[in-house]
Amino acid sequence: MNTENSLGVAVLGTGRMGADHVRRIERLISGAHVAAVADVDEVRAKEVAGTVGPHCAAHTDPAAAMDAPGVGAVLIASPGAAHEEQLLAALERDLPVLCEKPLTPDPQGALRVMAAEEALGHRRIQVGFMRRFDREYRELKGLLASGAHGRPLMLHCRHRNTVSHPLFTTEMLINDSVVHEMDAARWLLEQELTAVTVLRPTPSAAAPEGLGDPQLIIFETSGGALVDVEIFVNCGFGYQVQAEAVCEHGTARIGDAHGLLANTAGRWGGEIADDFTGRFADAYDHQVREWVDATRAGRVTGPSAWDGYAAAAGCAAGVAAQRSGQRTEVEMIERPAFYSPVSYVRTN
Amino acid sequence: MNTENSLGVAVLGTGRMGADHVRRIERLISGAHVAAVADVDEVRAKEVAGTVGPHCAAHTDPAAAMDAPGVGAVLIASPGAAHEEQLLAALERDLPVLCEKPLTPDPQGALRVMAAEEALGHRRIQVGFMRRFDREYRELKGLLASGAHGRPLMLHCRHRNTVSHPLFTTEMLINDSVVHEMDAARWLLEQELTAVTVLRPTPSAAAPEGLGDPQLIIFETSGGALVDVEIFVNCGFGYQVQAEAVCEHGTARIGDAHGLLANTAGRWGGEIADDFTGRFADAYDHQVREWVDATRAGRVTGPSAWDGYAAAAGCAAGVAAQRSGQRTEVEMIERPAFYSPVSYVRTN
Amino acid sequence: MNTENSLGVAVLGTGRMGADHVRRIERLISGAHVAAVADVDEVRAKEVAGTVGPHCAAHTDPAAAMDAPGVGAVLIASPGAAHEEQLLAALERDLPVLCEKPLTPDPQGALRVMAAEEALGHRRIQVGFMRRFDREYRELKGLLASGAHGRPLMLHCRHRNTVSHPLFTTEMLINDSVVHEMDAARWLLEQELTAVTVLRPTPSAAAPEGLGDPQLIIFETSGGALVDVEIFVNCGFGYQVQAEAVCEHGTARIGDAHGLLANTAGRWGGEIADDFTGRFADAYDHQVREWVDATRAGRVTGPSAWDGYAAAAGCAAGVAAQRSGQRTEVEMIERPAFYSPVSYVRTN
Amino acid sequence: MNTENSLGVAVLGTGRMGADHVRRIERLISGAHVAAVADVDEVRAKEVAGTVGPHCAAHTDPAAAMDAPGVGAVLIASPGAAHEEQLLAALERDLPVLCEKPLTPDPQGALRVMAAEEALGHRRIQVGFMRRFDREYRELKGLLASGAHGRPLMLHCRHRNTVSHPLFTTEMLINDSVVHEMDAARWLLEQELTAVTVLRPTPSAAAPEGLGDPQLIIFETSGGALVDVEIFVNCGFGYQVQAEAVCEHGTARIGDAHGLLANTAGRWGGEIADDFTGRFADAYDHQVREWVDATRAGRVTGPSAWDGYAAAAGCAAGVAAQRSGQRTEVEMIERPAFYSPVSYVRTN
């Protein structure tokens, strides 16, 4: 272990997600350590810093955390509204960033972040679309990229949560949940989204008052594919994320049963995960693992600011479609050459 | 065996489907026999009659076949365009009819048939929607009817054929294929269709010139449910019919793997049927079996003329939606009391 | 329907199994009818005959039922101890017989029946090993017969019942349950059984006092294959029959999940049948269907008296192995040329 | 990152397995680093040390590597014949050890190692049975430990390799392959093995001359359970490890399908891993992860020398059973109190 090479990370935001990233970096990720944390809640920041050790400083000012000694990279896990300012501050310092989704809550903010990154002259930002690091998604991506099944024509997605948070809103169905399918569809199909339609059945009686749950979201893409997403955040039975690609010569599905299969009391089957932590635990680990590796090698290989922008633009269209009941086109700038595609599939 | 009770059936149309029904009645269905056949192709009619025996007369005139000695019921397997006249002739003779779908190619013809049946004062017509007799569909119907999973909110359907007939048209995607999902959705959900939208990705390179294959068809229903149907008649890999009901407290899927599971050469899995004959063979048998039983008991228990009309109306909206690219409402008359629902689930 | 050709069947034994066969012949099997029934319980015989109609006579003497007018074939569903006498009586009258398993309870009785059939000069007896008519077993048989996976080396079998009958004995584990695997193994592998070993874990607390349940039964075969059978008649969770063939280039398994798959309350999966009637309903129907067809064509195509004898010999060795705790060789005569193999796989 | 706390590991043996552990410790395992390596092949040792950096010394003498500066633990990945001497040397130095299986090739060597560890007064040795760290095995262990399905009665295991190494012998079927099931059965059932029987079908034509492949191995256990293991190292189709526990109220199976499911060319299904690296990659990582954590906390939580001894004793009985064709009792000493059981299931 060459300790001089260990990557010092400033973690901004020490809520559930941030604290989990601190634990991951400290306990699972060799070659990296948490050098500083920041949170508006000072007590919380100190508590999380305490799990790391005396060498990890706790700040309330994100800029101070980024300027702490030994910081070589930033992980942003603060609320979305704070992202733009923190991203710009990180770019100012030329620090590599892993930013939890959304890049910014709106396409405009994302464009400003992209402009700053482009002005810097090299890419620094990775967005936390962790499905790109999930084993099954990568298998599906690999199959599609191989061309063995021909061109993808449709993508059927299911995104089901057991129960929604009390403050969950209809817009959050798009911005917090379907945003994952927006990125996954773009990444799997290697196409941009061009239009979104939102179809709404009569809500489930199990949905909280005012929440239009479930919904069926349709994406159209630049390559003429159709994507349909069932989003159902109060399905009651568990957490389930599935995707089925329909190609010219075959289909492929991920997210079905895996693991232990039991017979008992007249039924066979298995357990469904309760939430995303079980389903995507390995994906989160791989995401940080690869980001640390790439960062130490001076590269950015994961989802870029462009991907964050595209998700923000897709969500803006999705919420508009939800409100108007109409098919809504996704408005995006042309892809800057600076953000030309790189291979996201792990090569080892 | 009380031979006086055996049901004499006139089979109209002796093409592939008609000949298969003749074989089924003669070889598999106790309590029934083929008393006469009719086909515009005299040679073909005689050939099929010959497989039954000398007591089975071959006609070119459907009316003559219905008037032949010993005929107590009619099975219509002629082309759809001939159905209306044959159905009206059967009703004139007060004969029970099992009519292959479509009841008639258009809603107007269906309404005329319904008027004639209603004038007769009792129901005589059953339409050949054989999925209602399939074991898996019945299990799904039973689950939905039990209310154990709560109210159905969405129904995701997949309807895939290996390759389409050379003469298959874009309209036939609706009229010949999706019509099955139209009836299945109505039957499973116990709701009428209210609107149809047709979404079309760039066609598969494997689709014949001019055929917009695959398509994604959306039905809205009177109870506020959404139904999406992937219709893909040149999927290349096999015949596959799947349906997944999304309910308030759970989902349920049919049409997945069944039968033999093998490991070989680096892959596990099973075979996919080549066409519908393997997948629904038992359903065809059960359909005729139950029709014979009900007919001998003086009842009609299967899909009615109303169901055939609803399918015709749904198809008309579907083709219109296909042409206009717009969401199209399904136009239907009020359900006559004469066609009040009966339980279609086998009680034994 | 050529009524002179309809096959009149005398059903001997009108208990649960016999009554079910009467229902099947009358309601599902075209080309056959029940001409007479016999049972030692006169009330029961009359009751079952009454379900058929006045032309079906009820007898207490099996011979009288076989001599009744219109009888052209015999179906034996009486207790095993009565089989030998009834089979010999049927052979005396040169009547085709479908005999529920066991052919006879012991190998000696089976040899006497075989001698009588051979003296007659043509085969008349079919034994009720209905698994040979099950769709999945036939698929497995077809795969093995094709040679696509190479020579079969092992066969892993699971035979599970929800709960055993109060009078079920340890010997019945072999004679009533494992006998099905004995025949299935012989039929699938096209090899005779040569030795049986019975291994007994500590019994389940759910097993009745004195019943050594579950057990692991090992068969060795004439072709050097190994067969292991888990027999567990108080597994508590449902009825499950599975078989996995391990071949030189692949494996194949039947009896896994089929039908409706549901997600609910944190679990995915499906129902397990409660008993064999659901699992093998179609197999029973196909068995009678094919027997009627073959009988009317003057042929015997199903499991023969030789197969019944082999099962009896296997059971005798199995019970001996159970008692001695030792590997026990199966003692059998050479296969008479009269019983040379015929293809059991349906050719249509 | 508190670098003083990082665990310096001496890796003994730098073949395929040792080199992979070096890579894992350096790249995946935070809180540990490779301080020294040793291999009889000096070139190879230097090559592997070179992948770590100049601070990692390469030795040909294992003792020298253990005495290198900064070494706080030992990972033994040398051939089994070298284990005893290296284990004793590590114990002399009171160093914690993770020893690849087998602990020693024979029960006698294992007893000597255990005596040395016990003389030391505290436990230092963990054996590399990595299945105990596999997610699915842990789920199965958890289900059995919960008692939800009642007492386990049988365990059916399948252990299949695509093709065996040219030098693979019949004894290695036991010592290299079935040894994993021996440990897994002991761990899952929490019972010792008491007897082993080896049953051998006619070998597959695909097996190399002289290799009796496949075989069916039966274990009896101290709690009266039966374990059957199909070992088939030339199955040809892929790497597959499955286990099905049969309990009083239910069964549970692991090792079936997981991941991507595809339809293409008339078949549905998924890929089978080519070898163990794909199937158990995460288990290897977790194993080292937890060993590092426990070691730094001064504890031993994984498989102990006792477990290694039990595997050696089981293998000795297995090879004897293979040779004699007879059921062979497993000879073991009483379990020393020093090796009293600890919970192996991760508590976080």
Side-chain angles (χ1 to χ4, degrees), chain D residues 239-268:
Chain D
Y239 178 71
Q240 202 169 48
V241 170
Q242 303 180 322
E244 179 179 30
V246 179
C247 303
E248 287 173 317
H249 309 307
T251 70
R253 197 165 69 190
I254 57 174
D256 280 276
H258 34 122
L260 191 145
L261 192 75
N263 289 320
T264 190
R267 292 189 60 79
W268 62 270

Side-chain angles (χ1 to χ4, degrees), chain C residues 151 156 158 202 205 224 230 248, chain D residues 156 158 202-203 205 224 230 248:
Chain C
R151 193 165 47 85
H156 305 303
R158 311 287 163 252
T202 304
E230 175 203 318
E248 287 174 318
Chain D
H156 305 303
R158 312 286 164 253
T202 304
E230 175 203 317
E248 287 173 317

Side-chain angles (χ1 to χ4, degrees), chain B residues 226-251:
Chain B
L226 279 178
V227 181
D228 59 279
V229 181
E230 175 202 317
I231 174 69
F232 192 3
V233 298
N234 289 281
C235 80
F237 60 77
Y239 178 72
Q240 202 169 47
V241 171
Q242 302 182 322
E244 180 179 29
V246 179
C247 304
E248 287 174 315
H249 310 307
T251 70

